[in-house]
Amino acid sequence: MIMSHMNGYVQEASGQAKSHRERAVDCPGEELCLVKSPHCSAHMERIQHYQEELKKKREEDSRGKHDIDPNASLRLKKLSQNPKVGIDNPTFEGKEKATKDSCSQEAVVELVDLLQALKWAQHCLTDAQSQQDAELIMQLLAKEDFKNAYTIYSAVSQQMTRVSPNSPLTAQAKDLCQEALMQAHDSVAGQEMSEEDVVEYHGETVKLVRLEKARDTPLGATVRNDMDSVVVSRVVKGGAAERSGLLSEGDEILEINGISLRGKHVNEVHDLLQQMQGTLTFLLIPSSQIKPAPHRQTVMHVRAYFDYDPSDDPFLPCRELGLSFQKGDILHVISQDDPSWWQAYRDGDEDNQPLAGLIPGKSFQQQRETLKRTMTDRSREHQGKLWYAKKNIKKRKKSTSTLSRNTDYDDILTYEEMSLYHQPANRKRPIALIGPTKSGHDELRRRLLSIEPEKFAVAVPHTTRNSRIHERNGREYHFVSRPAFDTDLAAGKFIESGEYEKNLYGTSTDSVRHIINSGRICLLCLHTRSLQILRSSNLKPYVIFIAPPSQERLRTLLATGGTTPKPEELKEVIEKAREMEQNFGHFFDATIVNMDPDQAFHELRRLIDKLDTEPQWVPTSWLC
Ligand code: 5GP
């Protein structure tokens, strides 16, 4: 089923060399994305008529409220029409409607009484100024907005008097109050930017949505074509559309600022929106899909284990929204609503990049990598067959199908879930220095050990060779028998091991743990092949890659140290470093390019000190 989904993408992508299925209607700095849905065009006339009516009504409304905050007036009107206004107490639910009706009737009666009293008072007043004042008050009382506000006031005060101040309904009143205040703030803040009217018109529900498209606030939505309609296909986190909560996936956009979208290609819509700024009025047919209740999304933090270039991805549904990243980057995934395309921010980008970007979802990435591998294998197989055919070699045994072999995604690296970890003062993380020979990592380790021996230490290795006269078991080495070494090796107790002159040597996790328990920092110089086992050891290593500088600079540095390597040796160091980075770069927490031994040393110290002062990202599995 998933494959057919993939194939769907493949077909669409191949048929769409010229255009994307979704178009961003507002991307940072340049463009906008939009959406569309299928509905009969007979509604259009009715909707236009409705729009005109609405426009007229708005104009009338605004004429009468110039002396007050125009938004406040609108809000008051909405509030007065909202049955939930006032104290929305579920214990009064059954009586709510009756109470509201009687409240508004009482309020109207009170106002009429007041008006009559004022009229009477006006007759009794003798000076012109007082009469004018009374006239002004009567005008105010006659205004619809004032009547509505007074109705609300009456409803609220009636509810208030019904709740006995001596018997609070809940013990969390203060917390609830604060929460309600925050919610009210958020919704008012949202209303400052956006507004919506939902109207039942000839049995069809249409929505007029007004959004403010500020220069620096992207709209953050994409549109797709559905027959001749333009439909919202994706609402991206962090954009004005998402924050307003007024545009939803599946809504058909009939018009924007009075311009009809029916029959328009998404590219045209994209171009149209690019030119628009300020207030955008969308006429929508809301999606018939039932909206899931808004829930607080939990952010998942991941480290990427592959490079991603959106401009090079034919499957990406909206190119403008793709988020590029590199192997090792930390990504904050804020939405997995679409399992194929997650929404994420790159660590550090959140402040200057309000709109989230699209990244391939984990299983989608695994599937397409598998597909890629299968295709490569098949093409190799095919080429092999051709080669055999050319050589006129008899039928060879049919090999197992590569497709059937490639059903396991485990070795395809995509993302690893990460968490922040702050090392405790008494349990310092071991520092693993990685790099090709001659990159200087061993010198850096020696320098740290000689300058601060009370702070840094190396793990005591195991060996199968006999001890020498001056050596003590547990100081220079742990001297063990070959069978004992082999047993420990088989049990995975060594981070690394090797053979030298027919003797075995190795560093055990227990030796490293012994240093950690002593409160010192264990320094390790390791080969990349040890990284995997070190990571699964629960020692929480901090891995620093010591990279060589340019070939010329490396030659100078080595010459200063008294060695004169051949150019091919220098090339080999650099090539080895490149290979290490290519294959294991995603495991490196930091990289130091060793241009100058003193600078590299200071950078190393800085990174080590930072572990005490700042939390670092580590695989979440380490903390379980
Ligand atoms: P020696 O036996 O003279 O002390 O050390 C001989 C060699 O054993 C060292 O130069 C080093 O290459 C290797 N060696 C020493 N300790 C270790 C260790 O912990 N792991 C590995 N792989 N080799 C070691």
Side-chain angles (χ1 to χ4, degrees):
M1 209 173 105
I2 299 166
M3 286 306 281
S4 71
H5 186 197
M6 273 282 287
N7 289 339
Y9 269 119
V10 175
Q11 280 161 14
E12 273 207 70
S14 59
Q16 283 215 359
K18 336 110 212 145
S19 65
H20 288 275
R21 284 142 282 143
E22 292 175 32
R23 283 311 303 259
V25 283
D26 189 19
C27 281
E30 43 159 355
E31 42 203 340
L32 283 163
C33 289
L34 283 178
V35 199
K36 165 174 172 157
S37 86
H39 273 274
C40 81
S41 55
H43 295 308
M44 287 302 286
E45 264 178 46
R46 285 185 280 130
I47 288 157
Q48 270 165 4
H49 173 69
Y50 158 74
Q51 262 193 299
E52 276 157 24
E53 278 182 357
L54 209 71
K55 239 183 248 167
K56 267 189 228 156
K57 195 163 162 281
R58 281 229 175 88
E59 279 165 17
E60 278 166 21
D61 282 352
S62 61
R63 248 178 264 136
K65 63 187 179 188
H66 284 316
D67 45 344
I68 328 172
D69 167 16
N71 289 327
S73 172
L74 249 183
R75 266 177 248 137
L76 270 181
K77 196 160 286 170
K78 275 188 181 157
L79 272 173
S80 66
Q81 287 156 4
N82 185 351
K84 292 259 173 197
V85 82
I87 296 175
D88 187 12
N89 185 338
T91 55
F92 297 129
E93 216 169 315
K95 299 175 197 160
E96 193 178 39
K97 194 170 179 314
T99 308
K100 197 166 71 68
D101 290 348
S102 73
C103 273
S104 61
Q105 278 164 15
E106 279 168 30
V108 171
V109 170
E110 279 171 18
L111 277 176
V112 170
D113 287 352
L114 191 57
L115 265 170
Q116 274 177 354
L118 269 169
K119 262 185 203 156
W120 180 80
Q122 199 185 22
H123 286 304
C124 302
L125 291 168
T126 47
D127 67 301
Q129 183 60 52
S130 302
Q131 282 190 352
Q132 209 179 329
D133 289 349
E135 183 60 40
L136 267 174
I137 296 170
M138 284 192 291
Q139 277 174 15
L140 176 70
L141 296 187
K143 280 193 175 182
E144 274 304 303
D145 287 341
F146 185 85
K147 283 184 196 165
N148 290 333
Y150 190 73
T151 308
I152 295 165
Y153 166 78
S154 302
V156 171
S157 45
Q158 279 208 12
Q159 293 271 27
M160 293 292 281
T161 49
R162 228 177 298 151
V163 179
S164 162
N166 297 327
S167 55
L169 289 170
T170 166
Q172 290 94 40
K174 197 177 155 204
D175 292 346
L176 286 172
C177 203
Q178 269 177 356
E179 200 178 308
L181 194 64
M182 292 312 287
Q183 276 180 6
H185 168 268
D186 289 354
S187 92
V188 169
Q191 281 175 22
E192 296 297 332
M193 309 283 294
S194 53
E195 242 182 85
E196 101 179 322
D197 289 293
V198 180
V199 183
E200 200 65 30
Y201 193 84
H202 288 241
E204 184 73 50
T205 305
V206 291
K207 221 166 60 164
L208 251 184
V209 165
R210 280 195 288 172
L211 291 180
E212 212 52 47
K213 182 180 172 288
R215 188 177 284 273
D216 53 348
T217 327
L219 193 59
T222 65
V223 284
R224 66 183 152 82
N225 278 123
D226 189 348
M227 312 285 279
D228 66 337
S229 308
V230 175
V231 179
V232 177
S233 73
R234 194 181 298 271
V235 176
V236 183
K237 304 277 164 183
E242 188 260 334
R243 276 184 287 118
S244 76
L246 301 179
L247 280 186
S248 303
E249 284 171 30
D251 289 351
E252 175 180 357
I253 305 177
L254 294 168
E255 289 184 2
I256 302 173
N257 285 2
I259 301 168
S260 170
L261 297 195
R262 277 267 164 91
K264 281 201 172 24
H265 188 270
V266 282
N267 286 353
E268 288 176 78
V269 179
H270 168 269
D271 294 345
L272 180 77
L273 269 153
Q274 218 175 346
Q275 292 154 20
M276 292 180 168
Q277 276 217 336
T279 306
L280 300 184
T281 307
F282 292 80
L283 184 64
L284 305 169
I285 298 182
S287 161
S288 52
Q289 288 164 12
I290 299 156
K291 263 199 232 171
H295 60 284
R296 199 176 278 267
Q297 293 253 10
T298 47
V299 180
M300 181 170 79
H301 313 283
V302 295
R303 178 178 265 174
Y305 284 159
F306 63 102
D307 294 333
Y308 181 63
D309 177 5
S311 65
D312 194 27
D313 185 354
F315 300 115
L316 183 63
C318 179
R319 189 161 288 183
E320 295 94 332
L321 289 176
L323 178 73
S324 75
F325 57 82
Q326 288 190 324
K327 201 191 278 189
D329 283 351
I330 296 288
L331 306 170
H332 307 295
V333 180
I334 47 140
S335 167
Q336 297 176 45
D337 290 348
D338 177 350
S340 298
W341 295 100
W342 292 352
Q343 295 183 20
Y345 293 99
R346 220 174 27 198
D347 189 44
D349 278 0
E350 308 93 307
D351 295 337
N352 47 21
Q353 169 65 51
L355 199 62
L358 297 183
I359 62 168
K362 187 174 179 141
S363 52
F364 178 67
Q365 181 63 17
Q366 282 174 329
Q367 285 164 37
R368 66 169 168 188
E369 272 308 305
T370 308
L371 196 67
K372 225 191 266 175
R373 284 187 192 184
T374 309
M375 309 270 256
T376 315
D377 285 355
R378 270 193 185 162
S379 116
R380 272 200 206 119
E381 213 170 82
H382 179 66
Q383 281 180 359
K385 273 182 191 163
L386 282 179
W387 186 80
Y388 279 125
K390 270 187 195 157
K391 288 268 171 187
N392 207 15
I393 286 175
K394 280 187 185 161
K395 254 186 171 182
R396 68 189 169 102
K397 251 192 182 171
K398 222 179 173 193
S399 66
T400 338
S401 157
T402 38
L403 251 184
S404 60
R405 270 189 276 130
N406 270 309
T407 49
D408 187 5
Y409 304 143
D410 284 355
D411 62 331
I412 296 174
L413 294 173
T414 53
Y415 307 105
E416 181 167 24
E417 195 174 345
M418 307 292 279
S419 296
L420 279 172
Y421 173 74
H422 201 159
Q423 69 177 12
N426 59 349
R427 288 187 66 80
K428 310 272 190 184
R429 295 173 66 182
I431 305 292
L433 301 177
I434 307 274
T437 47
K438 299 192 177 72
S439 70
H441 60 299
D442 212 27
E443 288 73 11
L444 287 167
R445 175 173 76 158
R446 258 183 269 140
R447 197 162 160 186
L448 283 173
L449 286 167
S450 66
I451 290 177
E452 286 179 278
E454 69 294 340
K455 183 168 178 167
F456 298 101
V458 288
V460 176
H462 284 59
T463 182
T464 57
R465 80 157 164 77
N466 293 325
S467 62
R468 291 171 190 150
I469 194 85
H470 61 278
E471 291 176 334
R472 245 198 4 238
N473 191 18
R475 190 176 66 189
E476 284 81 12
Y477 288 103
H478 295 291
F479 296 99
V480 293
S481 67
R482 193 159 190 130
F485 194 103
D486 284 341
T487 312
D488 283 356
L489 190 63
K493 290 187 176 176
F494 289 106
I495 293 162
E496 61 80 39
S497 63
E499 192 167 344
Y500 180 78
E501 292 187 351
K502 295 195 176 149
N503 289 309
L504 296 175
Y505 294 83
T507 310
S508 72
T509 47
D510 280 348
S511 297
V512 177
R513 205 164 279 121
H514 180 76
I515 308 272
I516 297 173
N517 291 343
S518 74
R520 286 170 298 165
I521 300 173
C522 184
L523 297 175
L524 297 156
C525 274
L526 294 176
H527 195 278
T528 44
R529 66 172 165 257
S530 303
L531 279 179
Q532 194 66 269
I533 194 160
L534 181 68
R535 280 167 52 87
S536 51
S537 65
N538 201 23
L539 294 171
K540 301 187 182 76
Y542 186 78
V543 180
I544 304 175
F545 181 58
I546 309 297
S550 67
Q551 196 175 316
E552 192 43 39
R553 180 71 191 149
L554 182 61
R555 195 189 60 75
T556 313
L557 286 178
L558 292 172
T560 316
T563 41
T564 46
K566 292 181 193 143
E568 50 271 30
E569 283 177 287
L570 296 172
K571 256 192 207 154
E572 204 181 304
V573 177
I574 286 160
E575 178 54 24
K576 185 81 199 150
R578 197 197 58 76
E579 242 175 59
M580 285 176 153
E581 215 158 6
Q582 165 92 22
N583 300 326
F584 296 92
H586 47 283
F587 290 149
F588 304 157
D589 290 296
T591 295
I592 297 175
V593 181
N594 196 353
M595 300 277 285
D596 170 271
D598 285 343
Q599 267 179 25
F601 182 74
H602 286 119
E603 178 59 6
L604 180 59
R605 280 306 319 250
R606 190 189 69 81
L607 288 171
I608 294 171
D609 290 346
K610 215 168 79 167
L611 299 186
D612 280 327
T613 55
E614 284 175 30
Q616 308 291 323
W617 292 105
V618 299
T620 305
S621 58
W622 288 7
L623 307 179
C624 298

